[in-house]
Amino acid sequence: MSSLAGLVQPTTRQLLTGTALLFLTAFYSPLTVLMLTPVYGSAPAHIFHGYGVALVGAAGWFLKDYIQRLTGRRALFLLPVVAFWVPTLQSFLFASSSVMGNPFGAVVTEVISYYPLLLLSVACAGKLVQSGLDLGRHGDAVAEHVPLVVSYVLYKTGEKFAKAFLAKFIGTTFFFSRAGLQLLLPVFYTAIAPSKFLLFAIPSLLFSMTSNVHMNSGALNSFLNEEGFALVARQDSTTGYISVLDNLNDGFRVMRCDHSLLGGQWTKMPNNYNPAVMDPIYSVFTMLEAVRLVETDHGEPRVDANSKALVIGLGVGTTPSALIHHGIETTIVELDPVVHKFATEYFHLPSNHIAAIEDATAFVKRTPPAQYDYIVHDVFTGGVEPLELFTLEFLESLSSLLKDDGVIAINYAGDISLYPAALTVRTIQYVFPTCRIFREASDSDLTTDFTNMVIFCKKSSATPLTFRDPVSADYMGSKFRQMYLMPKVEIDASRFETIEKGGRRVLHSMNTHLLHKYQDRSALEHWNIMRHVLPDFVWENW
């Protein structure tokens, strides 16, 4: 085994090796966030990640000479060992997420598992790039600062490539999954710096292959079965880690996306009870079906035959399944192909619908106007609302797709005491002047202001919005729908009229970045709620 001093020579080889290290290090940045999101949520995982990477990366560069002396100039050969231990350390740290809390637990996990790799990688890569450029003859300032700038540019280029790669290929094979990549990337480190130190990586590698639940479905299911749960399916995808879980004791099935639930259905039902559409575990999805019950301006009930509905955001498919059962031609816009696949295979989504697997903004832009009698807008995921789908511009585009007597139901999930909720309601009312707002439960039933709020609106403003009384066919043989189909707990819209100091009346697409701090707060609140919906071990063992 040669030392780093023997390798560092003013050659192209050293520059290429340093570049490869920086690209590998950059790839770990978004990958580490992906590993954190099933346990801590997407927004909380990002809160301090950028700051931490910048600080540790800078420390690696400026301490590169000290680190080489401290490790006896063998830091390069320690990198593969550290990389192989990252997933094992994360696995053990995730088990303490409920104790550490959020976002503190996410920070601690990165400090112990990822930052040591980042520190060593930048130190080694910086030394190699500096030696490869060999700018000493131009003075100390040039010899130190030009390699620093070059290293930064290489790192940012690698990070950009990593994000593009993950967006396109995540989940296509095991080694392109978030867990599989944590086995693949250390192999590349090994190719750069093979050594006998790799013997110290064997215990971690054995654990990863046999007992790490993130990499071994058999190990995960064995653990979950002992706690009364079963893994039905799982796959990484464009919007996050998607899985289907059965609760074997209480009798329900859910679809998970990172640290959030997209919905679920009851699977354990009384004998001779067979609703046409499975009962959801959340009443809000049944309430959304009431979009059919909104009366026309003439007070007439709407006719399902020859009607068309657009559903933006699929979840497990409860609401679109009901619309399809009622004979309504239903188009579903869903960004994530795995969500659509799992809803079809595991949640009884009927096949007789039009599926548009694409971004909702792109779909709306290319769709001719006045197409739909009903629109259901239900896009909450990952603990936050996608702000771009609540802007004035997007909602105006949605309005153009409704027929003149059309109706829209918008599900907003969040803390309704915060500024974004009021801003969202005002934006909706600016586009749709005739609205009524309902929440999932009454104030006395809640211990938090985080709730589902459904805004029903008509395109026409000729008459107030009213609902017809449901009939037996509306319930589709479901006792659950008899209880929850009709919206009951109405919210006074006047509570959202006050504009706080420095606030805006409506949300424009150019201003969505101003709400990120509120989204972080909402995501942390949602994280705590989810930890009461399912046990900690379910979220920690994905």
Side-chain angles (χ1 to χ4, degrees), residues 291-303 373-374 404-407 458 460 462-468:
V291 70
R292 297 175 48 254
L293 307 183
V294 176
E295 295 180 307
T296 65
D297 286 337
H298 304 291
E300 302 169 347
R302 298 174 184 273
V303 179
D373 302 275
Y374 310 108
D404 290 339
D405 62 347
V407 186
K458 295 195 304 178
S460 167
T463 60
L465 188 147
T466 57
F467 298 90
R468 68 169 172 83

Side-chain angles (χ1 to χ4, degrees), residues 38-60:
V39 181
Y40 293 103
S42 178
H46 281 90
I47 292 176
F48 296 108
H49 174 77
Y51 300 112
V53 169
L55 288 173
V56 176

Side-chain angles (χ1 to χ4, degrees), residues 37-38 239-243 255-262 336 339 381-383 539:
T37 54
T239 61
Y241 166 79
I242 312 296
S243 68
M255 189 190 300
R256 168 185 180 176
C257 177
D258 285 337
H259 200 281
S260 181
L261 295 180
L262 299 182
D336 196 319
V339 170
T381 185
W539 299 112

Side-chain angles (χ1 to χ4, degrees), residues 1 83 106 126 144 149 151 174 190 215 229 249 284 308 312 331 336 357 383 410 414 431 453 467:
M1 179 180 68
E144 183 69 21
V149 173
S151 297
F174 169 74
T190 302
M215 301 180 183
F229 285 83
N249 298 324
V284 66
K308 293 184 178 181
I312 298 177
T331 298
D336 196 319
I357 310 301
I410 301 173
V431 178
M453 178 172 63
F467 298 90

Side-chain angles (χ1 to χ4, degrees), residues 104 116 124 138 159 183 230 277 290 322 339 386 397 401 462 476 481 491:
F104 181 72
C124 294
H138 299 290
E159 190 176 49
L183 290 179
V277 176
V339 170
S397 297
L401 301 188
M476 298 178 291
R481 286 177 173 81
I491 300 175

